[in-house]
Amino acid sequence: MKFSLFVLTAIAGTAAAGKPQLSISVRDGNFDGLDGLDPSISWEGSSNSGDVDLSYGIEAAARPTTDIASLPRNVWGKASTNVAGWGVSARAERNMQEGDDTGVEVDLDNEDADLSVRMVASAGDGFSVNRVEATKGLDIDGARVTINPRYDMGSEEADVVVSYDNGDTNVQLTASAENQEVEATHNMGDTIVGVKASADNQEVTLDHTMDKTNIKLTASAENQEVTVRQQLDDNNSIAPTINNNGDISVAWERTLGDDSSLTATLKPNDSLDVEWNDGDWTANVNCGLDGVNVDGANV
């Protein structure tokens, strides 16, 4: 009863703060009728108390049920303020469906010092810090350098990420006691060269654009793959891909306008995948192929 009262209070408070939004997503798998649709309602609101800014929200299922306690999916709240030149924020989120511990994120940001600190923790029977990290930024001769040390309390693993970016060249080094990895890209206008190297793998990418044709080559010691993308007109493009194993695929993409697109990818004797991207949501249909026969479809 206490839980149900909390849920009702949260819904009423948030609904008073802002207009509810209804969203409908398509669940993965095969369903009959409208069972594949997953409607949900979300509310968000904000207020302030003195120098503290507050924001909060709740997401709930929009399916008919007599079990009110089963409706909420996620409940979250955030408080932000400034203390002695530091922007301080704390955010808590609880997954009501899975009964997980409450996730907590605490962020400290000092713009003058170009320094930020983040702590990720969980709160359940007790309070446990899971991960801490800091980011220090430096501007050197027109280039941006960041140093990001990180420590995971659970695995007791520590690493540091150092990045360098001067606009045309970007280099990122990730190093721990066990592993070291470097990624570098250099933009020469029509051609972008990328290198990724670690103790176990080395990979080179070459991306070249000429008029309406784009060629992308990805090569490592074990695998090599090339994709040639041809823009047919303002709305249509086709892109065949072949790798060193002889695998071939062909992708056709049609732009529908307003950040929407439809992409069909054919892998002979393997699959036909169709992706419909419409701004904030994406729908996928995957069909297995055996010759010219379709084995089945998953949405």
Side-chain angles (χ1 to χ4, degrees):
M1 181 62 69
K2 291 181 179 179
F3 178 77
S4 298
L5 180 60
F6 166 75
V7 170
L8 289 174
T9 303
I11 293 177
T14 312
K19 295 181 179 180
Q21 294 184 342
L22 173 66
S23 62
I24 301 176
S25 59
V26 180
R27 295 189 290 171
D28 292 336
N30 299 311
F31 303 94
D32 295 326
L34 299 177
D35 291 339
L37 300 180
D38 186 21
S40 63
I41 296 178
S42 60
W43 291 272
E44 293 185 3
S46 61
S47 63
N48 60 73
S49 177
D51 294 331
V52 180
D53 295 326
L54 303 172
S55 57
Y56 43 85
I58 184 172
E59 180 189 0
R63 291 179 173 275
T65 181
T66 57
D67 184 9
I68 297 178
S70 68
L71 290 177
R73 294 178 175 175
N74 287 286
V75 178
W76 64 270
K78 181 179 179 180
S80 304
T81 189
N82 285 281
V83 179
W86 287 83
V88 182
S89 67
R91 188 181 192 278
E93 181 172 359
R94 176 72 183 272
N95 187 320
M96 311 299 289
Q97 297 289 315
E98 298 181 4
D100 296 336
D101 290 342
T102 301
V104 179
E105 297 178 358
V106 178
D107 289 286
L108 309 175
D109 186 24
N110 190 313
E111 292 186 4
D112 293 336
D114 205 345
L115 176 65
S116 63
V117 179
R118 162 167 281 205
M119 179 186 71
V120 178
S122 58
D125 296 333
F127 187 84
S128 175
V129 178
N130 301 326
R131 189 174 73 252
V132 292
E133 63 178 272
T135 302
K136 171 63 179 176
L138 301 167
D139 294 317
I140 303 175
D141 294 332
R144 179 68 174 170
V145 177
T146 60
I147 303 171
N148 175 212
R150 307 179 296 189
Y151 184 72
D152 189 301
M153 301 292 189
S155 62
E156 297 184 347
E157 293 182 355
D159 66 4
V160 61
V161 180
V162 180
S163 63
Y164 170 90
D165 188 352
N166 70 357
D168 293 332
T169 302
N170 179 279
V171 180
Q172 179 173 289
L173 170 67
T174 303
S176 66
E178 294 78 20
N179 299 294
Q180 298 81 42
E181 181 178 281
V182 62
E183 294 185 47
T185 59
H186 182 62
N187 191 330
M188 296 181 290
D190 293 337
T191 304
I192 300 175
V193 180
V195 177
K196 183 177 180 180
S198 65
D200 301 324
N201 186 48
Q202 297 80 41
E203 183 179 274
V204 176
T205 60
L206 180 65
D207 193 319
H208 179 71
T209 300
M210 181 177 61
D211 195 18
K212 295 183 178 181
T213 303
N214 174 267
I215 302 174
K216 184 175 182 179
L217 170 66
T218 303
S220 65
E222 294 79 20
N223 301 293
Q224 299 85 45
E225 179 180 275
V226 61
T227 299
V228 180
R229 184 177 182 272
Q230 180 67 43
Q231 192 72 36
L232 303 177
D233 54 35
D234 291 341
N235 298 317
N236 296 277
S237 66
I238 188 170
T241 299
I242 186 170
N243 62 27
N244 59 305
N245 295 320
D247 299 325
I248 300 174
S249 66
V250 180
W252 167 71
E253 180 178 355
R254 178 171 178 80
T255 301
L256 305 177
D258 297 328
D259 296 326
S260 299
S261 64
L262 184 68
T263 304
T265 303
L266 172 65
K267 297 180 180 179
N269 294 318
D270 184 83
S271 64
L272 173 62
D273 300 331
V274 179
E275 179 179 285
W276 181 13
N277 187 291
D278 189 1
D280 295 333
W281 64 270
T282 302
N284 291 279
V285 179
N286 311 110
C287 305
L289 290 180
D290 183 8
V292 295
N293 299 315
V294 178
D295 293 339
N298 292 319
V299 178

